[in-house]
Amino acid sequence: MRRVSRFLALSLVALLLGASAHAQVAPLARTPVIPPATPILAHSGMVVAQESRAARIGIEILDRGGNAVDAAVAVGFALAVTYPRAGNLGGGGFMVIHLAKDNRDVAIDYRETAPAAATPTMFLDAKGNPDPKKSRDSGLAVGVPGTVAGLALAREKYGSGKLSLADLITPAIRLASQGFPVEDDTADSLPRAKERLARWPSSAAIFLTGGQPPSEGDRLLQFDLADTLRAIAQDGPRAFYQGSIAGEIADAVVKAGGIMTKDDLANYHALKRPVVRGTYRGYDIVSMPPPSSGGVALIEMLNILEGYDLAKLGRGEQSLHDLIEAMKRAYADRAVFMGDPDAVKMPIAGLLSKKYAAALRASIGDKATPAADIHAGKPADFEGQNTTHFSVIDRDGNAVSNTYTLNFSYGLGLVADGTGVLLNNELDDFTSKPGTANAYGLVGFNANLPGPGKRPLSSMTPTIVLKDGKPFLITGSPGGSRIITAVLQVISNVIDFHMAVDKAVSAPRLHNQWQPDGAFAEPGFAPDLLDALQRRGHKIVPTEPHTSANSILVTPNGYVGAADTRTRGALAAGY
Ligand code: GLY
């Protein structure tokens, strides 16, 4: 979830981090309340997504005999229409799939790539300093989109085979051409994105009228997007990556100051990758490998936490202290070691090992370790090597966990003329200069510098937790750097604190990403608890909610879906 308020929150951080760590926690001026999620029970399938029409389309596909992968692909195309701030054709993401028949887990990497002309210094100004305008607000920020290739690959390899790509795209075409009323999170987010969209006439023509965003209930029509979807339905991904649509995308990027060519689009490939695996208290954790840092950092944190008896401690001062300390250490490793696996060597086996986690745990005391005293660890086995999330399960136990994004809300805000396709500004996820931070405050080093064809490091963490080889919890979240810790807490809430999935999703979340050295606390924690953590040396920073973990728990009674209520409009649709 990308919000303008994120920038306000970051400025608040600067203010608050200067304050004494032992002062009482100052509350937010306006304290938003996280409404409780409503659990939905079903037996033959479940789709939990950030927008209700898209979630229902997933159910329609299951009802027509499609499997969870077919449903996820249809939801992915539908959200590109109904949830334009993050659903996309012009961005990228990651999908983790559990296949029930042969008990297999696979990952699809459809992360955007840097154009072939990208260089490590492309986001620096004349003085050699990072220039955020280049990495966030110009055509240079646009990565070659991966979503169309990724969704098509998922269907081709793992779909039921009963439904064609055109069958899965048709509902999205209908929504784009017939329109739908602007409501919920889209009604909330469009006014905040007004200025970013207004910069580009091609975007203003679709999302603004007379320079103003639509009112709640106004109809959003996207005729060009419908045509683009029709072309993909008819000719497959090549309609997007070759020919006139690719030409329009490359032209739009170049006019906006970028370096993308038609060849960059023609050369794009979504990739199958082996999932990363870990275990946590007898459960198997299956998640996304690099170029997302999500799965590795998640398992590293879970490995650290496994050494504490969190169930006995309960969700209180000691367990939250342990949680924050685990976060800091994993994010420090993320910053130093991780990047595109096809371009950098990473110590993945070491980072995932229980022995390494034990060494990190040994460095955790009763007081907060200042971020400045935490450095990347020495994992063994150095080896080669504003977003939306939806979770799907079908009657056979096939499961999909998918997170995809344009980076900021509405990405760059630029629609490629004549295509209806909003373009990402994902390349800000690269490190512009070693030791500097991206828009999420995530510090990076050499491993994540831009380069030709490289994929920027991500935090997306689509995850499936298995019990006895079968899906138990399907989860993930948007939220930039906060994604990984959101997923961590949903898993811990369910496994350690035995919360029902709706409670696990709604419970307030903490986040610490090592740099800046602050523990961001959503509304809902008892003030006494935050004060106690502050007394231990944690710099507690009250923050508005920024994540949305649409999750499914498999229970003896059936599938329980929980749509996160941190933004309006998410739906758990049962079947
Ligand atoms: N663009 C945010 C991420 O991929 O982590």
Side-chain angles (χ1 to χ4, degrees), residues 2 111 407 426 429 458-460:
R2 311 284 186 263
R111 183 70 159 165
N407 196 24
E426 208 75 63
D429 280 348
S458 172
S459 299
M460 289 186 267

